[in-house]
Amino acid sequence: MPIAEQTSPRVSSSSCSVALDLTWVRSQFPALAQSANGQPAVFLDGPGGTQVPQRVIDAIADYLARNNANTGGAYQTSRNTDRMIAEARSAMGDFLNCDADEIVFGPNMTTLTFAMSRALGRELGPGDEIVLTLLDHDANFSPWKALEEKGVTVRTVKFNEADCTLDMDDLAAQIGKRTRLIAVGYASNAVGTINNVAEVVRLARQVGALSYIDAVHYAPHGSIDVRALDCDFLVCSTYKFFGPHMGVLYGKREHLKRLRPYKVRPNTDNIPNCWEWGTLNHECIAGIKACVDYWEELGRRVETGLAPSETRQAASLQEDRAQSSVTRRDAILAAHEAAHQHERAMTEKMIAGLLAIPGLKLYGISDPRGFDHRCATFVVRVEGHTPLELATKLGERGFFTWDGNYYALNLTEQLDVERLGGFLRIGLVHYNTMEEVERLLGTLTEICGVARRS
Ligand SMILES: Cc1ncc(COP(=O)(O)O)c(C=O)c1O
């Protein structure tokens, strides 16, 4: 089906059209003011990990300075730690639109997914099937593929090589009455394709299979609503959306309660803690709360329509909350919508500019009619240059990009670029600017021109 005819996979309930206050946004991120080799640093490495607002740094430092303790103790700092973790869970619940006890914290998405695949694997064996996709990051592939050891059959879904969209016909064909789980990415961390995950969940439900959504790459680019999606599990990593290095798993309460995690005996049987092993990274959990606060404040500024030059009426986020009927969830949705509009405009400029560079091949959706189905993540190859050479030359000029496969190994293998060093990846998030896009395009054109002449 042509991209333009597909239903939009975006899940967004806000219709805000207020421009992002980029001056305020950028002032929140101290790292963005850095330079590299005498040039302003341009962070185009968001898909590998985004920068953090000052409030995240402050929250981490403050926790370590004042409340550093283990959980469950009968004293002040331990109680403060318990309270802080509960607040962070509730904040992530609003970010994903679920209840706090459906939020599991872990070191990263990969570890959480191995934990869940092992727990689900206890119930699976010969005759059971799992459906995976070749578009996914390996963290949503290998943990499930490992269940072949238990006799489970793994089926893989192809993607369309022309535009790197998931082959939904193949997906439907791989699903059958033996399917127990479908694991699919919300968005590709390489080619940027946004998958129609609502449809995948629907197909899974039709045969009584569980759905496991990897939203790691999607989370900085679009709002997530696990209730509207009705997915069984969804995972993301806070370091990809302006928080610290941690992973978060949403699981429907009924599954978190029924499934049996591998765990130590003294650990509680209560959810969600029974899924959280050992001592968590408390300081980073404090940072997660601050990260959601950032999204909320961004959204409240959007909701109140403040122009860059205007000062806010309220002195703090707490006052904003007290004075406004806008909920945290509403504010997060407004922030996502404003970020999306800005990223969309940058995507149009970036793709038009990349396609004009002689010898450059862009992989993924390039037709503007399909832009609702991609995020601002671009992979390219340029004749006469390896991706590593390009990333190195860009890095010397202050542009932080990435090269290789970014663990989207099935994709680079199928496109036969794995043996050639993969792709150069350029990733935009909402703190990037049009001016940065223009400078990147100019510099890349110059580098490629030099390569062709020499
Ligand atoms: C789409 C996607 N899924 C999963 C992962 C793995 O996440 P983590 O580093 O939290 O294990 C990444 C990391 O780059 C990713 O981009």
Side-chain angles (χ1 to χ4, degrees):
M1 184 193 296
I3 293 159
E5 288 173 24
Q6 294 176 16
T7 51
S8 171
R10 280 202 162 273
V11 179
S12 169
S13 65
S14 172
S15 60
C16 115
S17 60
V18 177
L20 198 67
D21 180 350
L22 256 187
T23 309
W24 180 82
V25 165
R26 290 184 66 87
S27 74
Q28 301 300 296
F29 293 84
L32 300 184
Q34 289 177 90
S35 54
N37 278 348
Q39 306 287 331
V42 181
F43 289 84
L44 304 173
D45 59 342
T50 48
Q51 301 309 305
V52 296
Q54 183 64 46
R55 76 184 70 203
V56 170
I57 302 165
D58 292 345
I60 292 172
D62 186 66
Y63 174 79
L64 288 172
R66 290 160 11 111
N67 286 312
N68 194 13
N70 217 322
T71 51
Y75 57 98
Q76 181 173 297
T77 52
S78 181
R79 288 195 180 118
N80 288 346
T81 297
D82 289 338
R83 192 175 320 113
M84 178 278 290
I85 294 175
E87 283 170 9
R89 244 188 251 290
S90 153
M92 272 312 299
D94 281 351
F95 193 81
L96 299 178
N97 201 24
C98 62
D99 292 332
D101 66 348
E102 295 173 306
I103 293 288
V104 177
F105 289 125
N108 50 56
M109 174 277 184
T110 307
T111 310
L112 286 165
T113 303
F114 268 111
M116 193 48 76
S117 76
R118 261 178 259 158
L120 277 164
R122 285 178 137 172
E123 302 186 338
L124 301 180
D128 293 324
E129 296 184 0
I130 287 181
V131 175
L132 310 176
T133 96
L134 296 179
L135 203 53
D136 270 68
H137 186 286
D138 214 60
N140 204 25
F141 192 86
S142 288
W144 306 113
K145 179 99 173 131
L147 296 180
E148 283 179 335
E149 287 170 7
K150 301 201 68 205
V152 173
T153 301
V154 168
R155 293 177 169 272
T156 52
V157 179
K158 292 183 289 202
F159 61 89
N160 304 304
E161 289 192 11
D163 60 1
C164 298
T165 52
L166 201 59
D167 184 337
M168 293 300 278
D169 292 336
D170 189 36
L171 180 90
Q174 299 301 338
I175 298 171
K177 59 180 190 315
R178 292 172 181 273
T179 310
R180 301 288 169 258
L181 176 111
I182 305 177
V184 66
Y186 210 138
S188 159
N189 67 314
V191 286
T193 312
I194 299 173
N195 295 320
N196 192 346
V197 285
E199 176 62 5
V200 176
V201 173
R202 196 187 66 77
L203 290 170
R205 199 150 302 292
Q206 260 182 5
V207 294
L210 297 173
S211 50
Y212 191 94
I213 312 294
D214 171 4
V216 171
H217 190 68
Y218 185 73
H221 302 292
S223 58
I224 297 170
D225 187 335
V226 292
R227 290 266 183 272
L229 280 177
D230 197 25
C231 56
D232 295 292
F233 301 96
L234 182 141
V235 260
C236 57
S237 305
T238 50
Y239 72 96
K240 308 282 190 180
F241 56 93
F242 320 111
H245 287 95
M246 292 241 352
V248 176
L249 177 141
Y250 154 78
K252 266 191 183 164
R253 186 178 295 108
E254 67 195 77
H255 301 316
L256 294 182
K257 276 192 167 163
R258 190 188 60 78
L259 289 165
R260 287 184 304 129
Y262 285 89
K263 66 177 189 64
V264 294
R265 286 173 303 163
N267 193 357
T268 174
D269 285 328
N270 297 332
I271 66 159
N273 311 78
C274 62
W275 291 93
E276 297 172 335
W277 307 337
T279 305
L280 290 173
N281 188 328
H282 299 161
E283 54 272 29
C284 281
I285 295 177
I288 291 178
K289 166 71 172 49
C291 161
V292 177
D293 282 351
Y294 165 73
W295 279 100
E296 181 185 354
E297 180 156 9
L298 177 60
R300 289 189 185 281
R301 294 183 68 86
V302 168
E303 284 284 339
T304 48
L306 288 178
S309 57
E310 287 175 301
T311 49
R312 294 157 25 151
Q313 301 285 307
S316 68
L317 182 55
Q318 283 70 23
E319 282 180 42
D320 265 355
R321 280 186 196 133
Q323 288 171 14
S324 160
S325 60
V326 174
T327 65
R328 177 161 60 189
R329 173 75 186 160
D330 289 341
I332 292 167
L333 292 177
H336 266 297
E337 189 56 34
H340 165 64
Q341 286 178 22
H342 174 54
E343 287 181 26
R344 173 66 180 256
M346 290 193 292
T347 295
E348 283 165 19
K349 184 174 275 296
M350 180 70 89
I351 290 193
L354 289 174
L355 293 179
I357 297 177
L360 180 146
K361 179 168 181 191
L362 172 78
Y363 293 74
I365 296 170
S366 59
D367 181 342
R369 285 175 303 165
F371 283 179
D372 276 353
H373 301 268
R374 67 137 49 248
C375 48
T377 306
F378 315 95
V379 291
V380 300
R381 289 190 54 84
V382 182
E383 260 173 43
H385 263 296
T386 67
L388 176 58
E389 283 163 4
L390 286 173
T392 306
K393 287 188 173 145
L394 285 168
E396 286 161 0
R397 291 159 175 80
F399 297 94
F400 302 168
T401 60
W402 214 277
D403 69 283
N405 63 28
Y406 343 104
Y407 286 22
L409 185 59
N410 288 314
L411 176 96
T412 52
E413 283 181 347
Q414 187 174 323
L415 293 175
D416 200 25
V417 297
E418 183 60 22
R419 65 191 173 85
L420 304 171
F423 309 106
L424 174 76
R425 180 176 67 185
I426 304 160
L428 300 174
V429 290
H430 75 284
Y431 56 53
N432 290 116
T433 67
M434 280 290 190
E435 196 246 330
E436 288 180 333
V437 173
E438 280 159 17
R439 283 183 37 225
L440 179 274
L441 289 168
T443 306
L444 197 54
T445 307
E446 192 189 299
I447 292 171
C448 296
V450 170
R452 274 197 316 285
R453 279 198 296 279
S454 57

